[in-house]
Amino acid sequence: MFTIEHDEDETIITILDHEGDLEDVGVLMYEDRVFIRQCNEHRQQFDLIAMNAHMYYKLMQAWSLPEGTYVVERKNV
């Protein structure tokens, strides 16, 4: 299960582990940055990965592709 919440300048996607083995993963999306975070119980803090929107787009494209090396270009519509 996942949730999507929209705020004025932020979209938050929360991905829940329905098996209860892992902490939830949050994707915080802004106009120019995307952050992926997950609570680290040992440190009592979030582990945080930052990327720009194009990097995140490439990550999402990679899910549907077989093994290999790719160049992904976004087309502005």
Side-chain angles (χ1 to χ4, degrees):
M1 179 171 96
F2 61 91
T3 64
I4 302 172
E5 302 172 58
H6 297 289
D7 201 355
E8 288 182 28
D9 61 346
E10 172 184 68
T11 297
I12 302 172
I13 300 170
T14 303
I15 304 163
L16 307 166
D17 175 23
H18 67 283
E19 296 166 359
D21 296 329
L22 300 169
E23 294 292 328
D24 299 344
V25 172
V27 179
L28 293 79
M29 298 174 16
Y30 302 91
E31 187 174 315
D32 62 341
R33 292 283 184 263
V34 176
F35 297 95
I36 299 174
R37 71 179 184 185
Q38 185 177 41
C39 185
N40 182 323
E41 287 186 23
H42 301 291
R43 296 187 310 132
Q44 295 298 307
Q45 294 179 320
F46 283 104
D47 290 331
L48 188 67
I49 297 171
M51 60 185 75
N52 63 36
H54 190 63
M55 293 169 70
Y56 183 71
Y57 177 78
K58 289 189 278 189
L59 176 63
M60 294 300 96
Q61 292 297 307
W63 282 105
S64 62
L65 298 171
E67 182 177 356
T69 302
Y70 299 89
V71 175
V72 177
E73 295 182 20
R74 287 191 321 184
K75 295 180 181 177
N76 292 331
V77 180

